[in-house]
């Protein structure tokens, strides 16, 4: 007996009763006014001169929660930062897994995971990404990039931690502190702690100050920030941004970027610019772990 087929939302035919492909995520373009805001906030000059032309891959694939506003804003910010300063060229924006094949990865100097969630890389692609960074390349994680590798310990260890909820919600304004006020990557903050309206994560799994150099963390000396429910860490060590060496390569992660408006904050953009340059290998700075 011939198998019956039905059409999915994507216009594909699949056997009846079997799992249907998820509809493709569609990015909503940011407005010209918002683009102007990103451009105005972006630094005019990079903190380091590239040693060679740099090409980055920006992946925004989501199998889990889809940051419909944060992703387009982040994509545009990465493009503007690179173009305005000459620090890098975005060679590809993608939600396709094929760019994680070993041969495809070779053309890039860094992979930027912009608010990706629950990535489903094949075993070969997982090995390729690990080898890519270990070989001397860069990995950058924006916001939910730590919500990808719950079933892949090596991936979680590489990026430096695993998402474990957000006691500090996107509608609140929270106090953050610079763990290293004079660090090169944090120069845009001019040594000052700050408050920001964004969704702030807590981490579990591989996160450890013995492996990461923490740059920014949650400031629990602030009463409103301290008195949030559902905090899980008994050590109260809630990092926001860190760097770490991985093999011959480098990892930069920052959890800021749930709210699109974050990408119009000059200090945040300056930090992303410096952090990405660190991951690319152009900004030389101390990335050795510092225990709390």
């Amino acid at each position: 007996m011939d198998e019956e087929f039905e059409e999915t939302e994507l216009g594909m035919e699949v056997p009846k009763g079997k799992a249907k492909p998820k509809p493709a995520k569609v990015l909503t373009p940011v407005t010209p006014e918002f683009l102007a805001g990103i451009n105005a906030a972006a630094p005019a000059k990079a903190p380091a001169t590239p040693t060679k032309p740099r090409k980055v891959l920006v992946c925004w694939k989501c199998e889990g929660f889809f940051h419909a506003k944060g992703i387009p804003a982040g994509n545009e910010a990465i493009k503007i930062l690179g173009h305005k300063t000459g620090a890098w060229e975005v060679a590809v924006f993608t939600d396709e897994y094929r760019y994680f094949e070993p041969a495809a990865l070779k053309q890039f100097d860094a992979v930027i995971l912009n608010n990706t969630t629950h990535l489903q890389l094949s075993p070969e692609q997982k090995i390729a990404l690990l080898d890519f960074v270990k070989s001397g390349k860069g990995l950058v994680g924006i916001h939910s990039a730590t919500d990808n590798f719950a079933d892949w310990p090596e991936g979680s260890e590489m990026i430096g931690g695993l998402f474990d909820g957000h006691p500090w919600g996107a509608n609140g304004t929270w106090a953050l502190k610079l763990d290293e006020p004079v660090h090169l990557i944090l120069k845009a903050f001019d040594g000052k702690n700050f408050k920001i309206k964004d969704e702030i994560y807590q981490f579990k799994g591989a996160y450890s100050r013995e492996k990461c150099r923490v740059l920014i963390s949650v400031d629990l000396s602030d009463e409103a920030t301290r008195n949030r429910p559902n905090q899980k860490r008994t050590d109260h060590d809630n990092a926001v941004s860190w760097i770490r060496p991985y093999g011959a390569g480098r990892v930069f992660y920052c959890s800021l970027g749930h709210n699109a408006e974050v990408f119009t904050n000059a200090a945040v953009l300056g930090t992303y610019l410096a952090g990405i340059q660190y991951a690319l290998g152009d900004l030389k700075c101390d990335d050795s772990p510092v225990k709390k």
Side-chain angles (χ1 to χ4, degrees), residues 25-30 34-35 38 56-62 66-83 88-95 112-116 142 256-257 259-260 262-263 269 272 276:
K25 304 292 193 300
V26 178
L27 296 183
T28 302
V30 302
F34 198 89
L35 275 177
I38 297 174
V56 302
L57 166 70
V58 179
C59 176
W60 52 273
K61 181 71 173 180
C62 295
F66 178 54
H67 289 83
K69 294 182 179 179
I71 289 174
N75 282 350
E76 294 294 345
I78 295 164
K79 181 168 65 176
I80 288 171
L81 285 171
H83 179 74
W88 62 78
E89 172 196 350
V90 179
V92 177
F93 285 108
T94 189
D95 65 344
I112 301 177
L113 302 179
N114 177 21
N115 270 300
T116 53
I142 296 176
L256 300 176
N259 291 343
V262 167
F263 295 105
L269 288 184
Y272 268 116
I276 295 171

Side-chain angles (χ1 to χ4, degrees), residues 196-260:
I196 194 166
K197 184 178 180 181
D198 201 18
E199 182 182 84
I200 308 299
Y201 284 177
Q202 60 190 351
F203 298 98
K204 62 180 179 179
Y207 171 70
S208 168
R209 287 186 183 244
E210 294 184 355
K211 297 180 180 179
C212 301
R213 191 178 188 105
V214 176
L215 303 175
I216 304 173
S217 60
V218 176
D219 185 0
L220 295 179
S221 69
D222 176 76
E223 184 178 4
T225 305
R226 181 175 65 252
N227 294 331
R228 292 295 298 169
N230 303 317
Q231 296 182 51
K232 299 178 182 179
R233 295 194 64 92
T234 57
D235 61 3
H236 309 296
D237 182 17
N238 298 289
V240 172
S241 181
W242 60 73
I243 54 175
R244 62 161 309 189
Y246 186 77
R250 298 146 305 276
V251 176
F252 166 68
Y253 171 75
C254 184
S255 69
L256 300 176
H258 175 97
N259 291 343

Side-chain angles (χ1 to χ4, degrees), residues 182-199:
V182 298
H183 197 282
L184 284 177
I185 290 178
L186 299 179
K187 193 173 181 180
F189 283 106
D190 197 25
K192 299 174 184 176
N193 295 340
F194 62 103
K195 290 187 176 182
I196 194 166
K197 184 178 180 181
D198 201 18
E199 182 182 84

